[in-house]
């Protein structure tokens, strides 16, 4: 499967949805852990500051103010982060000790911005370790002094950064693992689907013996494969029965009709001149019936894919040229203009006899249905490395609503029911085109109808070209013969 097809597949959409849901779930979980951890760190910081303040208060009550001053002086010389901040000021607001400027006494927990930590109120400290806000605890002492103990949020911020990095990496790894696991599961699922697609393509190509492989695991795909294979077995039996009935009918009817024709031939030789026109008409009608049965058998044989084994590289340019030259006198007898624009070097991989029949039917169709004076153009060209055959006319055309129906067997437009034929011509064209992997398109020629057959390239992957005299399957000295009688299908 190509990357473009994979991105448009149901497996990829399920994978994307799975990754999105799983990634979002993990992200929500990690964010919850992140906020809980931050709250715990902040609470731990507040408890640490409160304990330090309580230690100094107990020291003041037990040993006096000088002991507190000496304790603060020992603590402020510690330069390792996280930084501790202290302020001890007297009742008049004069600083006694510490590394903070005097402030208005405020009891309880407070947060000090970075700019408050320095006497000059600068917003950016010289030491990066001081660039963090401070969580502080203020206490009034017994003789009116004020004690402030604080610690910056260095530890909490660093923990926050580490958690954020871990969160991002966790989400990324989760998404990658989910995508990898989903891709592995999706690839296995797509392989099973591709096995089904490959089998159905083979069946559409005419090989009704193909079956969807099973792996014996008893999973849902195995159950689906078993059901599909059972359905295909039933369809194959029905198709064989239908084909056998059709072949038997065609053969069984053609045999007595052939005997009847031989009998009429013998009667014509013995009958007088009065009976000869009636016998001639009967023989012509029998020939049309026999030709209809032959066409039905040919279509059944084509649709069964039995002729594909005889494929070879044949010159499509020579086939179109030979058939066009053979039908030119027929068009001239009906006062119609048959013009050709043919690239004789183009070839396709296929059955020469069936391609000749297809081209003949395409040219016969406008000759039969178009009135005198119309122009018929047969063109064979190369588009995008592939041969394209166009047969266009300036006749009445086919209404757009009827174009899909004319490929059905025995289907005829109301305007053509008075003309000879059985409605199998375009059905045979479609069957031959499908056998060769070609597409048949009907479009408006303004006025008239344009029939376009777009072939696949030759077996080497490109539109193979040959010199006209060296085209395969064509005798150099072959001369097209005039078609004196057309058996309308």
């Amino acid at each position: 499967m190509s990357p473009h097809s994979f991105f448009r597949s149901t497996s990829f959409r399920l994978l994307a949805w799975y990754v999105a849901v799983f990634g979002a779930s993990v992200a929500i979980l990690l964010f919850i852990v992140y906020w809980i951890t931050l709250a715990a760190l902040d609470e731990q910081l507040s408890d640490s500051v409160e304990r330090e303040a309580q230690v100094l208060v107990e020291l003041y009550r037990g040993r006096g103010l000088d002991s507190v001053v000496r304790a603060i002086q020992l603590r402020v010389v510690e330069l390792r982060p996280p930084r501790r901040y202290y302020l001890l000021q007297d009742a008049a607001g004069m600083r006694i000790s510490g590394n903070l400027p005097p402030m208005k006494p405020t009891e309880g927990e407070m947060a000090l911005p970075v700019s408050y930590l320095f006497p000059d109120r600068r917003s950016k400290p010289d030491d990066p370790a001081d660039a963090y806000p401070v969580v502080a605890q203020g206490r009034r002492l017994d003789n009116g002094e004020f004690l402030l103990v604080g610690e910056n949020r260095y530890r909490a911020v660093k923990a926050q950064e580490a958690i954020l990095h871990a969160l991002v990496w966790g989400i990324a790894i989760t998404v990658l693992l989910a995508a990898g696991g989903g891709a592995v599961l999706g690839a296995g699922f797509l392989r099973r689907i591709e096995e089904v697609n490959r089998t159905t393509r083979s069946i559409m190509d005419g090989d009704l013996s193909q079956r969807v492989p099973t792996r014996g695991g008893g999973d849902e795909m195995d159950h689906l494969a078993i059901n599909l294979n059972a359905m295909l077995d039933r369809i194959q039996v029905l198709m064989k029965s239908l084909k056998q009935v059709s072949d038997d009918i065609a053969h069984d009817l053609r045999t007595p009709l052939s005997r009847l024709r031989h009998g009429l031939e013998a009667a014509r030789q013995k009958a007088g001149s009065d009976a000869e026109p009636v016998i001639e008409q009967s023989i012509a009608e029998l020939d049309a019936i026999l030709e209809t049965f032959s066409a039905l058998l040919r279509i059944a044989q084509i649709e069964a894919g039995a002729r594909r084994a005889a494929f070879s590289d044949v010159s499509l340019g020579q086939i179109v040229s030979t058939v066009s030259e053979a039908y030119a006198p027929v068009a001239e007898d009906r006062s119609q203009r048959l013009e050709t624009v043919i690239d004789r070097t183009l070839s396709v991989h296929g059955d020469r006899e069936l391609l000749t029949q297809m081209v003949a039917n395409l040219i016969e169709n406008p000759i039969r249905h178009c009135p005198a004076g119309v122009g018929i153009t047969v063109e064979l060209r190369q588009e995008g490395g592939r041969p394209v055959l166009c047969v266009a006319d300036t006749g009445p055309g086919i209404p757009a609503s009827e174009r899909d129906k004319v490929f059905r067997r025995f289907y005829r437009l109301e305007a053509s029911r008075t003309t000879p034929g059985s409605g199998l011509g375009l059905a045979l064209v479609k069957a031959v085109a499908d056998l060769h992997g070609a597409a048949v398109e009907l479009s408006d020629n303004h006025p008239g109808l344009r029939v376009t057959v777009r072939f696949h390239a030759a077996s080497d992957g490109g539109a193979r070209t040959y010199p006209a005299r060296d085209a395969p399957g064509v005798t150099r000295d072959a001369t097209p013969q005039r078609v004196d009688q057309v058996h309308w299908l």
Side-chain angles (χ1 to χ4, degrees), residues 181-192:
V184 171
L185 295 176
F189 178 74
L190 288 178
R191 281 195 296 270
R192 303 292 296 274

Side-chain angles (χ1 to χ4, degrees), residues 373-391:
V374 303
I376 302 171
T377 302
V378 180
E379 180 183 4
L380 178 64
R381 64 183 185 274
Q382 180 172 303
E383 287 185 4
R386 298 184 176 187
V388 176
L389 172 64
C390 292
V391 179

Side-chain angles (χ1 to χ4, degrees), residues 1-9 12 190:
M1 176 177 287
S2 65
H4 179 68
S5 300
F6 174 74
F7 290 132
R8 296 176 57 187
S9 65
F12 174 76
L190 288 178

Side-chain angles (χ1 to χ4, degrees), residues 59 104 166 168 201 270 274 283 296 341 345 353 383 445:
L59 183 62
K104 181 180 178 180
V168 172
R201 284 194 296 267
K270 299 178 181 179
D274 294 338
I283 291 175
L296 283 172
V341 181
T345 64
E353 180 183 349
E383 287 185 4
N445 195 43

Side-chain angles (χ1 to χ4, degrees), residues 103-184:
M103 63 176 292
K104 181 180 178 180
T106 303
E107 288 192 288
E109 185 175 329
M110 66 189 75
L112 302 178
V114 175
S115 60
Y116 192 83
L117 304 180
F118 311 100
D120 54 3
R121 296 293 191 265
R122 62 184 185 272
S123 59
K124 186 175 182 181
D126 296 330
D127 190 343
D130 291 323
Y132 302 93
V134 174
V135 176
Q137 186 76 228
R139 295 288 183 89
R140 282 189 179 275
L141 302 180
D142 296 340
N143 296 324
E145 295 91 349
F146 176 71
L147 174 67
L148 181 72
V149 178
E151 181 180 327
N152 66 12
R153 300 189 73 253
Y154 172 84
R155 183 182 289 115
V157 171
K158 290 301 180 181
Q160 178 181 359
E161 292 174 354
I163 295 172
L164 282 175
H165 281 92
L167 186 147
V168 172
W169 278 106
I171 293 176
I173 293 174
T174 299
V175 171
L176 289 177
L177 290 176
V184 171

